[in-house]
Amino acid sequence: MRNWYTAQELAGKPGMPGTERGIRKLAERNGWEGQRRLGSKAIEYAFAVLPSETQAALIAASVGSEAPPAVSIQQELIQRDAKTASRLNDKQRSVMTARLAFVREIERMSQTISQQRAILALVDLAKNDKLSPYLSELLVRANDRKTNDRSLSERTLKRWLADYRKQGETGLAPARGGKDMGVPDWAKDFLRCFQRPTKPSVEASYAEFAAKCQGERPSIHQVRRFLNKLSPEAREAGRRTPQELKALQPFRRRATKNLFPCDVFTADGHKFDAEVLNPRTGKPYRPETTTVIDVATRRILGISIGEAESTIGVMDALRDAITRGGMFAIFYVDNGSGFANSAVREVVDRLGGTMTHALPYNSQARGLIERVHQTIWVNAAKKLTSYIGADMDKHAGTKVHRVSRKQLRETGATRLLPTFAEFMAGVEFEIEAYNDRPHRGLEKIRDPETGKLRHMSPNEAWEAARAEGWEPMLAPAELVHDLMRPQVIRPTRRGEVAWANQRYFLDALRDLHGEEIRVAYDVRDASRVWVRTLEGELLGEALLDGNSSDYMPKPLIEQAYEKREQGQMKRAMDKLETLTGKRVEMIAATSAPSAQLSGEQLAAARQFAIDLAPTTIDFQLPGDSVARYRLWKELEAKTQTGSELTAGEARWHAHYPSRQEWQSMKDLFDADPSQQARA
């Protein structure tokens, strides 16, 4: 709308002549107020002196002639009341923007004519369907009605103007109709039937609730609508444990960009989801893997394989991590029995690190190591036919179990289950592949071969840290082994000290009779312990039964195996007693193979054994299995170089590989590179 119009602009309008000359003559006759337009010779006439018919035509032509850009409206909305407008949904914001366009149109027209006249002009144009296409489209949204009547009224436009001037743009938004979040009276009784750890269905819970309901009973559809209004966390309360509920709750991501390698080690045990042949017994079992990972680079540094999560496995994995990576600052673990014990904590303290335990039922805090279980060990188990995970086909798994047991009974071997050596080879392959594979938790780099951006691998992240000047703090191997030996405080009596049901002797202890000392032990070798004073001064190595002449020591690992076997036999006997209802006892065999021989055959066998026995013993066998295997390796090296062996050495060297102990030690040394190097 303008206040002045030229004769050219007025020609042909309602109430006006069709030519400019006729308009000028009409103006002269009626004495219209006029002025010369700036920069032109044309005469323009005031809007107020024009006939009412002409004024209405000019008003109708100006309404919605130029649609204000939506961007400007949105910018003004954000600038004036951004906080309040941000709470509106899309429908409220759309209606508000449409109504704002009509308010702006009234304000623009009011610069030339009165507000009342502008409102009446818009109402008249809307009724006659003469609004511009832009305003006609906004009219449908501005009314926000479900009826077919989408016209404007004087009262509606005045109400919009009043709301806008009082509350701003947000005053034009319609009230939001939210959900009825009221809790019905029957909700408590129904949720008591529904929110149980057994996770009953809605139908089952409703049937139980209906049988107990005394008052007016809602329909199952009302129950379903009520449950849909609840948040997942509120709905699943009682159906899930607090630990499982955390899968539905918000969480905090822990950034590791500011960490350096070896700042934080995290570890956890995982029961392998496939069966492997036990190297010690030859029977199927599920190994327990203990993995140590560097948090900053996601690199796997330590690994230990055992039969169950234990202190021995944790310390072995930590020793492996320190040997490969270096000393750590923080050891972040859970509260499992293998980690939360004085032996591991003492070793961590001696290494100068800090041991931190995660909160109970908070496995999400250790998501890095938990994800490693899925990425490496679960995927590795799925590559084997002996996989027994939850998603294994039931019939296929039963068939593998039946056939493998049958083959083991008949032949003593099976190809359906991997041997321990094959399993360890697979473990090393999976770890190397994981450390060389791009990890999405690490920063991106430009691939030197393809030129594309990709995430770094753990090994690349490790080397990148070294390139920036970081270097691992390495320790000599002997020092690492010494630090990894757990220590306990024990009293000494007459040069002896007792530990793990064994007695160790050291002559230097004679002066400390009745006093307490510190005893350090090796989890792999029980033939000796290292004795220190309470102040830490090393006194020497106390030998197992050092003051005795005839005893065969057993390493701590073998003692753990025997203890585990005894527990398994006891549980098996309890199960048999439960099934049969009768007392079950273990009775030693009363007959040996030799009992089936005749007297002549037995005499011949004894003579054959006498002939095989050496006349003299020209060397002394070690007292533990590890030392015996090392002796055999030394004799094997001599035979390879052509050196001669004594009769006793040659006889024992040829006979020892036929024993089960040789095979077990061979698998153990082949699986542990550090032991193989020492051998």
Side-chain angles (χ1 to χ4, degrees):
M1 291 290 296
R2 301 197 307 272
N3 291 327
W4 300 88
Y5 293 89
T6 64
Q8 182 180 3
E9 294 172 340
L10 296 174
K13 299 292 184 182
M16 286 290 171
T19 62
E20 297 180 24
R21 183 178 178 182
I23 293 175
R24 285 193 294 268
K25 288 183 178 181
L26 179 63
E28 291 176 2
R29 287 195 306 267
N30 296 331
W32 289 354
E33 180 184 359
Q35 66 180 15
R36 186 179 297 278
R37 176 169 288 185
L38 294 176
S40 175
K41 297 180 179 180
I43 301 298
E44 54 185 9
Y45 304 98
F47 176 81
V49 301
L50 299 177
S52 59
E53 186 179 1
T54 305
Q55 289 181 355
L58 291 174
I59 292 174
S62 66
V63 173
S65 58
E66 293 182 1
V71 176
S72 64
I73 297 177
Q74 187 69 13
Q75 289 177 349
E76 183 178 356
L77 169 67
I78 296 174
Q79 292 173 359
R80 290 195 60 173
D81 203 359
K83 291 184 178 180
T84 306
S86 63
R87 301 189 185 100
L88 303 177
N89 57 32
D90 292 341
K91 182 179 180 180
Q92 289 176 301
R93 191 175 290 107
S94 175
V95 174
M96 180 189 65
T97 305
R99 292 176 179 178
L100 182 62
F102 284 94
V103 172
R104 292 282 186 258
E105 190 67 30
I106 294 174
E107 290 179 343
R108 186 174 63 85
M109 295 170 63
S110 298
Q111 297 175 1
T112 305
I113 59 177
S114 65
Q115 176 181 296
Q116 178 67 20
R117 189 173 181 181
I119 292 175
L120 294 177
L122 285 174
V123 172
D124 184 64
L125 291 174
K127 289 182 179 179
N128 297 324
D129 199 16
K130 292 184 179 180
L131 289 174
S132 65
Y134 172 72
L135 289 180
S136 297
E137 179 185 355
L138 293 181
L139 179 60
V140 178
R141 290 189 296 167
N143 277 290
D144 190 27
R145 298 176 183 171
K146 296 182 179 179
T147 61
N148 295 328
D149 183 14
R150 299 298 178 92
S151 61
L152 289 175
S153 66
E154 179 183 355
R155 182 178 180 180
T156 299
L157 290 177
K158 288 183 177 180
R159 177 168 52 83
W160 290 352
L161 276 172
D163 292 340
Y164 170 71
R165 289 168 181 171
K166 183 178 180 180
Q167 304 178 20
E169 290 89 341
T170 56
L172 300 174
R176 176 166 49 187
K179 294 182 180 180
D180 180 14
M181 300 307 295
V183 180
D185 297 335
W186 49 262
K188 184 176 181 180
D189 295 332
F190 172 76
L191 291 178
R192 191 178 294 111
C193 301
F194 179 73
Q195 293 180 334
R196 294 177 177 175
T198 54
K199 296 183 177 63
S201 63
V202 178
E203 291 81 359
S205 302
Y206 179 77
E208 181 182 355
F209 163 71
K212 299 178 180 179
C213 184
Q214 300 294 335
E216 184 178 355
R217 184 177 62 190
S219 66
I220 191 172
H221 305 291
Q222 291 177 284
V223 171
R224 290 186 184 276
R225 286 193 293 270
F226 168 72
L227 290 177
N228 290 336
K229 294 178 183 179
L230 298 179
S231 65
E233 183 179 354
R235 185 176 59 251
E236 294 298 319
R239 296 170 65 87
R240 302 191 186 189
T241 61
Q243 185 177 11
E244 290 183 344
L245 273 179
K246 289 186 177 181
L248 304 176
Q249 298 171 349
F251 62 95
R252 184 184 298 273
R253 293 187 180 273
R254 293 184 172 181
T256 60
K257 295 181 180 180
N258 298 327
L259 293 178
F260 286 100
C262 295
D263 279 355
V264 181
F265 283 179
T266 183
D268 194 20
H270 173 73
K271 181 68 72 173
F272 195 64
D273 292 329
E275 291 184 326
V276 178
L277 291 179
N278 194 318
R280 191 172 56 87
T281 64
K283 302 297 183 181
Y285 86 116
R286 293 174 58 189
E288 176 81 13
T289 62
T290 302
T291 311
V292 179
I293 184 174
D294 175 61
V295 173
T297 63
R298 312 302 201 271
R299 188 185 184 196
I300 294 180
L301 297 176
I303 184 67
S304 178
I305 306 298
E307 294 188 359
E309 182 178 305
S310 61
T311 304
I312 296 175
V314 172
M315 296 179 62
D316 192 31
L318 188 58
R319 176 197 56 79
D320 192 22
I322 295 174
T323 303
R324 297 188 187 187
M327 306 296 281
F328 61 92
I330 297 176
F331 192 40
Y332 186 48
V333 293
D334 60 14
N335 294 275
S337 60
F339 299 99
N341 58 76
S342 58
V344 176
R345 180 172 293 278
E346 180 182 354
V347 170
V348 173
D349 291 340
R350 294 175 63 202
L351 290 171
T354 302
M355 190 171 181
T356 304
H357 294 280
L359 295 176
Y361 303 105
N362 194 30
S363 58
Q364 286 183 334
R366 299 182 304 106
L368 291 179
I369 191 66
E370 296 290 344
R371 185 60 193 174
V372 166
H373 296 163
Q374 298 292 325
T375 303
I376 299 181
W377 305 125
V378 174
N379 291 334
K382 289 184 177 182
K383 298 177 182 179
L384 304 177
T385 56
S386 59
Y387 176 65
I388 56 176
D391 52 348
M392 177 67 173
D393 182 82
K394 180 180 179 181
H395 298 286
T398 302
K399 184 176 181 180
V400 170
H401 182 274
R402 185 187 306 113
V403 174
S404 62
R405 267 56 176 185
K406 181 179 179 181
Q407 292 177 349
L408 287 173
R409 286 194 305 268
E410 295 178 351
T411 64
T414 177
R415 297 305 304 169
L416 296 177
L417 306 180
T419 63
F420 189 77
E422 294 171 343
F423 170 71
M424 289 303 302
V427 166
E428 294 296 334
F429 172 80
E430 294 293 340
I431 291 177
E432 292 178 4
Y434 174 84
N435 288 336
D436 289 331
R437 188 164 54 243
H439 196 292
R440 63 181 181 180
L442 301 174
E443 296 182 358
K444 287 187 176 182
I445 59 172
R446 185 76 62 179
D447 192 289
E449 298 182 359
T450 63
K452 297 181 180 180
L453 284 176
R454 63 168 177 81
H455 293 281
M456 289 191 294
S457 67
N459 283 337
E460 289 174 337
W462 185 276
E463 295 301 327
R466 300 191 67 171
E468 293 177 359
W470 173 85
E471 287 294 334
M473 184 169 56
L474 302 177
E478 290 299 327
L479 177 61
V480 171
H481 286 290
D482 179 65
L483 290 176
M484 295 303 294
R485 296 184 184 120
Q487 294 187 8
V488 293
I489 297 179
R490 288 291 184 271
T492 177
R493 294 287 187 273
R494 301 175 62 185
E496 292 183 339
V497 61
W499 162 243
N501 297 325
Q502 308 279 10
R503 294 186 181 275
Y504 297 87
F505 176 78
L506 178 63
D507 187 67
L509 295 177
R510 66 172 58 206
D511 298 331
L512 300 177
H513 173 72
E515 299 182 12
E516 290 185 338
I517 58 174
R518 292 163 59 180
V519 178
Y521 59 92
D522 191 339
V523 298
R524 292 181 177 268
D525 186 4
S527 62
R528 65 194 67 195
V529 294
W530 291 260
V531 178
R532 297 176 181 269
T533 63
L534 294 180
E535 291 76 20
E537 180 184 355
L538 180 64
L539 299 178
E541 296 182 2
L543 301 180
L544 176 65
D545 289 329
N547 56 347
S548 180
S549 59
D550 186 16
Y551 195 84
M552 187 66 66
K554 295 181 180 179
L556 191 61
I557 295 180
E558 292 188 6
Q559 297 179 34
Y561 286 154
E562 288 188 358
K563 184 177 180 181
R564 181 180 177 86
E565 288 176 353
Q566 292 174 1
Q568 290 175 341
M569 288 192 301
K570 184 179 183 304
R571 287 190 293 271
M573 292 172 61
D574 293 341
K575 185 175 181 180
L576 288 175
E577 291 180 354
T578 302
L579 293 176
T580 61
K582 300 178 181 179
R583 180 175 178 81
V584 179
E585 296 181 357
M586 297 293 293
I587 302 177
T590 56
S591 60
S594 59
Q596 307 299 327
L597 300 177
S598 62
E600 297 179 358
Q601 291 175 330
L602 185 60
R606 289 175 177 172
Q607 184 61 41
F608 181 75
I610 293 174
D611 295 339
L612 289 178
T615 56
T616 58
I617 300 177
D618 51 8
F619 75 107
Q620 183 69 31
L621 283 178
D624 64 287
S625 57
V626 176
R628 286 193 294 271
Y629 183 78
R630 291 174 179 171
L631 175 60
W632 183 87
K633 294 283 289 186
E634 295 175 359
L635 298 179
E636 178 68 13
K638 289 183 179 181
T639 58
Q640 296 295 333
T641 57
S643 302
E644 294 185 0
L645 304 178
T646 64
E649 290 177 342
R651 189 184 304 277
W652 181 82
H653 176 264
H655 174 69
Y656 185 65
S658 63
R659 298 182 57 187
Q660 181 65 30
E661 177 183 295
W662 179 88
Q663 185 63 41
S664 300
M665 289 296 102
K666 182 177 182 300
D667 294 338
L668 177 63
F669 275 69
D670 291 343
D672 193 341
S674 62
Q675 290 283 9
Q676 188 176 9
R678 291 198 306 172

